Amino acid sequence: MLAELEWQIEAGADEAIGDVADMRNWKGLAAKAQPAIQQPATPIPFPAPATVSTVSPAASAAAARHEHRPAPIPRQVTAETVEALRAEIAAFDGCPLKATAMNLVFADGNPAAPIMLIGEAPGEDEDRQSKPFVGVSGKLLDAMMAAAGFDRTNTYISNILFWRPPGNRTPTDAEIASCIPFVERHIALINPKILVLLGGVSAKTLLRTKEGITRLRGRWADYTPQTDSKLTTPIPCLPIYHPAYLLRQPNAKRQAWNDILMLKKRVIESNILITNT
């Protein structure tokens, strides 16, 4: 087996891109890993270059997580209206996710609402319908918000990324960096009274911190833009668990509900008018 591994390294296979070892050929490798093969009589030929890629989607996604090439820096965002911003994002080719996604997923809800929610990235249902939070996790979010008197007529919802990552994988730093100027202009144009950050990617990106969501959730913070000077006043924001996390960890729903109650209390104490349109 050592000879097999050395042969793979010499052939250029020097990085593991799978999270779990592929054991399907274990018996075949063990049968080959005999002393006679450790010193073959004739050199083992290298395989001819493949003309068609046989890398699986899962392997491609894993390789993307190890990609360190920086994304193109987007041009300066100049949109002065939400409609113009959507058109500017649609014309932007600096994020590679645009080439693999079905649709641009921009926003949903009331642009005049005092509360803006920002998640991580679109999923399969969102990509198909071109609307954020319409899948299973979106239905959970709607139910939680409705229990506190909020819905999509008095809130506004978007994401850090405007295109779905393949296989719903975690976004790379380069993908986030290519979209963040648009996100910050989006926030500035909506100019909400309160930001709700759904999940760790959204919270860590906009608060520019490495702390995880379990530490950040339930703690009020101030958002200040990094790349956009249009917004001059910090916006209070509340990080909470992403609804997709709550589907995997139902025991955390109690904490999430407490966070929603914190949001409602802040709205009442700040005399923020919530109207359904």
Side-chain angles (χ1 to χ4, degrees):
M1 293 184 68
L2 179 60
E4 293 283 341
L5 291 174
E6 291 175 346
W7 177 83
Q8 291 186 39
I9 293 173
E10 292 174 356
D14 59 353
E15 182 178 6
I17 61 174
D19 295 329
V20 180
D22 186 350
M23 305 297 289
R24 290 174 297 179
N25 295 325
W26 174 262
K27 293 182 178 179
L29 289 175
K32 292 181 180 180
Q34 300 299 326
I37 297 181
Q38 293 180 5
Q39 295 180 347
T42 58
I44 300 175
F46 289 126
T51 57
V52 178
S53 175
T54 58
V55 179
S56 67
S60 297
R65 290 195 294 268
H66 295 277
E67 180 58 67
H68 298 296
R69 290 180 300 176
I73 301 300
R75 60 185 180 280
Q76 182 179 2
V77 182
T78 59
E80 293 295 333
T81 65
V82 174
E83 293 77 13
L85 178 65
R86 190 187 194 286
E88 194 169 347
I89 295 172
F92 177 62
D93 294 324
C95 180
L97 295 178
K98 182 179 180 180
T100 58
M102 294 175 60
N103 291 300
L104 165 69
V105 181
F106 181 63
D108 190 28
N110 181 5
I115 299 175
M116 182 176 184
L117 298 90
I118 301 181
E120 176 182 315
E124 182 179 1
D125 293 314
E126 290 77 11
D127 187 23
R128 185 180 298 109
Q129 300 183 41
S130 191
K131 186 182 295 185
F133 288 94
V134 294
V136 178
S137 62
K139 289 179 173 59
L140 175 58
L141 176 63
D142 287 344
M144 293 172 57
M145 297 294 285
F150 305 114
D151 56 36
R152 300 200 185 205
T153 68
N154 55 35
T155 60
Y156 185 75
I157 306 176
S158 186
N159 280 306
I160 293 293
L161 295 184
F162 301 100
W163 297 277
R164 177 197 179 199
N168 295 344
R169 62 165 171 76
T170 301
T172 66
D173 292 342
E175 290 162 354
I176 294 174
S178 69
C179 291
I180 194 61
F182 296 109
V183 175
E184 295 203 332
R185 176 53 61 97
H186 201 178
I187 296 172
L189 291 173
I190 298 300
N191 195 19
K193 300 294 184 182
I194 293 176
L195 276 174
V196 178
L197 308 181
L198 302 169
V201 170
S202 175
K204 289 190 286 187
T205 298
L206 294 179
L207 296 179
R208 299 192 290 279
T209 179
K210 294 183 178 180
E211 285 193 290
I213 188 62
T214 55
R215 285 181 170 270
L216 294 173
R217 59 145 292 273
R219 293 162 44 190
W220 286 98
D222 285 332
Y223 160 76
T224 54
Q226 183 177 11
T227 64
D228 198 304
S229 60
K230 186 175 180 63
L231 184 69
T232 58
T233 304
I235 299 175
C237 62
L238 180 65
I240 69 175
Y241 286 131
H242 194 286
Y245 173 81
L246 298 177
L247 291 173
R248 300 191 302 268
Q249 301 290 338
N251 292 337
K253 289 182 179 180
R254 181 186 296 272
Q255 293 175 309
W257 175 240
N258 289 335
D259 295 343
I260 297 295
L261 293 180
M262 286 181 60
L263 171 64
K264 186 173 184 179
K265 180 180 179 182
R266 183 68 173 256
V267 167
I268 295 173
E269 292 178 347
S270 302
N271 294 318
I272 296 175
L273 180 62
I274 300 293
T275 57
N276 297 72
T277 58

